[in-house]
Amino acid sequence: MKTNHELPVTNHGPRTIIDKIWDAHCVRAESEDAPAILYVDLHLVHEVTSPQAFSELRARGLKVRRPERTLVTLDHSTPTLPAGPDGKLPYANASAAEQVASLERHCAEFGLTLHGFGSGSRGVVHVMGPELGATQPGMTIVCGDSHTATHGAFGALAFGIGTTEVGHVLATQCLLQRRPKTMAVTVDGHLRPGVAAKDLILHIIGVLGVDGGTGHVIEYRGEAIRALSMEQRMTLCNMSIEAGARAGLVAPDTTTVEWLRGRPHAPKGETFEAAAQAWLAWASEPGARFDREVRIDAAQVEPTITWGTHPGQVTPVGRAIPSSADPQAQRALQYMGFAGGAPILGEKVDVVFIGSCTNGRLSDLREAAALLRGRRIAGHVRMLVVPGSERVKREAEAEGLDRVFREAGAEWREPGCSMCIAMNGDQVAPGQLAVSTSNRNFEGRQGPGARTVLASPATAAACAVAGAIADPRELDVLQEEAA
Amino acid sequence: MKPIRRIESRLAVLPTENVDTDQIIPARFLTTTERSGLGRHCFADWRYDKDGNERRDFILHRPELRGAGVLLAGRNFGCGSSREHAPWALLDFGIQVVISSQIADIFRNNSLKNGLLPIVVSEADWQRIAAFNAQSIAVDLERQQIELPDGTTIGFSVEGFARQCLLRGVDQLGYLLAEDAAISAFEAQRAA
Ligand code: SF4
């Protein structure tokens, strides 16, 4: 490990995983006058937040310092419908097409490998990195995208940056950063059956508040976290930014190691075993102190959804929408057309979206399909299922999930961000209510005037069948009543 | 980047909390490959009706607030995505300073890199400043103080390195590029 720190970088007590990764990546430690120079192991790039950074490099005559540490894909502005008979992709508009073309040109010009159309590996950037095995424990990972925290599931320090910083990383493989504060979110006990990782993170955001994590990196720990699969950990870490945190991570364990074994970018053979030992050593040392500690009881978590216009406005699906005189809550209720104190169950749903870097992986599609198998979605509901990557799409089709969705009345689409950000033309109409497995329910996030309820894949699927907000645990009951 | 020392402008109070980057600039305007010209899309969904006409009831369209360069915003301004289009849009719209009791991390970082000054004040100071809505105030980065029309001041602090960069109008990429040898040494040591 490196030793060229000019200043002592940390106190000598036991260190958290966050501090350990930080210290190991300081080209220069921070001082009062200057932030640290932090080395970046993996830089993920997509078409929306990179064009101006490449222009800057070109204007200054700079090269990409480490093309092999740069992973590029197309996801945000890409259509989710296949090419038409003329072979052309149905872009929402000329500027979306130009943005994709511009990244294709930049990759050629700067010598970067593009996981683009026809590569077989294209996908939402935070779905693709892990499934390639490019995301590994102990790494620093950045992307011009706030949901980079997803990669924290592997015990990596992964966070979002702006376009100017994308330029910094392309040119120097480094960033200027101040050391973040640390927070431990410990989840004790076991999640109850029918409660998903999405429900847990919505619950946690409700506890912390949308700005509760500001300035911090969260380590999720405790019995309930250890029991989560890698996919569930990704869903959890993904939404750390929704509590305002820079990043969230889970220490690597055997679940992490086994998930990485055999992935294309993971080490092979004996090198893998050595790497696995090194990965496990990143865990926080016993007795490490965090700047803030929060405890959550897993048994208290129920299927949870949002009722307002930010991801901290949450409620267990079966309970009433909280009533509050707070003007911010009032504003949110007015936008959503909901009443404080009223149940949210039974609110009519127009659109259901399954996908995104939060819940667009194979396990998410399986959970949704399990509820839809042999059922049909309500006649008035439009349901879009968008796999998170080409690989997810292939694997889902191999097990026939596409048929389950189609037979239930849903649309099965090509991979991309789609209705999570609604910049590729996949939009919710003004006033419509969408239940979405994505991560943001901001005003207009899914299209101007669109109203969004965030939920797990199972809850979203149950809502599609019921045609209204529903509790996935009660779907059978609902069906019988309707019959 | 132009150096910033002191900004004198009218104050506009936008009390809404948790103004996210999707409100500052909706995602459908992110297909641009430029950084200029985004001001017309700033707060687009609040500013225009469905036919594209300006809404009179949008707070920053009040005659006395038009053209204000200092925005006093509700808590947790700039939360949400990492889009640097948000500070680009605000600057192009004419906002030079954002003051709030909490500013989201990535937005604050992005703002500092573009010469949009993000200032965090206490809730009590927030209330004091809000009393001067639509009046002219001064923000002095050199002295790190807000000067209110009644002659009183409120101190603030901006991270030292970023502040020096703003005062001198230098960008941080030049600083990093100058560290090339240290970066190479770090890479060599890790490879060993
Ligand atoms: S799926 Fe949504 S949150 Fe994830 S990268 Fe795409 S737009 Fe961002």
Side-chain angles (χ1 to χ4, degrees), chain A residues 78-79 81-84 86-92 97 100 117:
Chain A
T78 55
L81 286 170
D86 58 356
K88 290 211 178 99
L89 287 166
Y91 282 99
V100 167
F117 291 101

Side-chain angles (χ1 to χ4, degrees), chain A residues 42-254:
Chain A
L42 178 64
H43 184 198
L44 304 157
V45 176
H46 64 77
E47 73 276 22
V48 179
T49 54
S50 63
Q52 299 86 351
F54 284 112
S55 308
E56 184 75 19
L57 258 64
R58 188 180 306 112
R60 295 191 184 217
L62 297 168
K63 293 203 286 243
V64 173
R65 184 184 176 97
R66 290 285 161 214
E68 75 282 10
R69 293 188 178 278
T70 313
L71 202 60
V72 193
T73 195
L74 302 164
D75 53 6
H76 284 65
S77 357
T78 55
T80 56
L81 286 170
D86 58 356
K88 290 211 178 99
L89 287 166
Y91 282 99
N93 50 51
S95 63
E98 167 50 24
Q99 197 167 53
V100 167
S102 135
L103 186 53
E104 289 170 341
R105 286 196 304 272
H106 286 138
C107 284
E109 179 184 346
F110 288 92
L112 302 174
T113 308
L114 174 65
H115 294 266
F117 291 101
S119 65
S121 52
R122 191 181 67 83
V124 177
V125 64
H126 313 306
V127 176
M128 186 190 77
E131 71 186 12
L132 286 173
T135 298
Q136 294 168 16
M139 282 185 163
T140 45
I141 302 178
V142 301
C143 175
D145 194 287
S146 57
H147 292 100
T148 309
T150 313
H151 307 264
F154 292 80
L157 181 59
F159 54 92
I161 57 176
T163 298
T164 300
E165 290 176 314
V166 169
H168 292 180
V169 180
L170 288 172
T172 69
Q173 205 58 33
C174 288
L175 277 176
L176 289 163
Q177 293 278 312
R178 289 280 173 193
R179 181 190 286 269
K181 290 192 218 141
T182 57
M183 184 190 302
V185 172
T186 305
V187 187
D188 300 308
H190 301 279
L191 288 175
R192 288 189 292 172
V195 175
K198 180 65 160 285
D199 301 315
L200 174 60
I201 187 62
L202 287 172
H203 178 91
I204 291 173
I205 298 163
V207 170
L208 294 178
V210 273
D211 57 359
T214 305
H216 291 77
V217 173
I218 298 172
E219 181 186 348
Y220 300 99
R221 42 198 291 158
E223 200 180 359
I225 303 297
R226 295 264 71 90
L228 298 177
S229 68
M230 286 316 297
E231 286 79 3
Q232 293 171 318
R233 292 178 192 184
M234 285 188 252
T235 300
L236 180 79
C237 290
N238 173 274
M239 290 188 73
S240 302
I241 182 76
E242 266 63 64
R246 280 308 301 273
L249 53 73
V250 174
D253 57 14
T254 51

Side-chain angles (χ1 to χ4, degrees), chain B residues 53-84:
Chain B
N53 302 312
E54 280 197 356
R55 293 174 56 144
R56 293 244 193 91
D57 59 351
F58 175 54
I59 205 160
L60 299 181
H61 281 165
R62 290 193 194 146
E64 71 278 17
L65 297 184
R66 271 188 195 264
V70 180
L71 186 69
L72 180 71
R75 188 177 170 78
N76 199 26
F77 188 81
C79 60
S81 90
S82 64
R83 62 190 72 161
E84 202 159 313

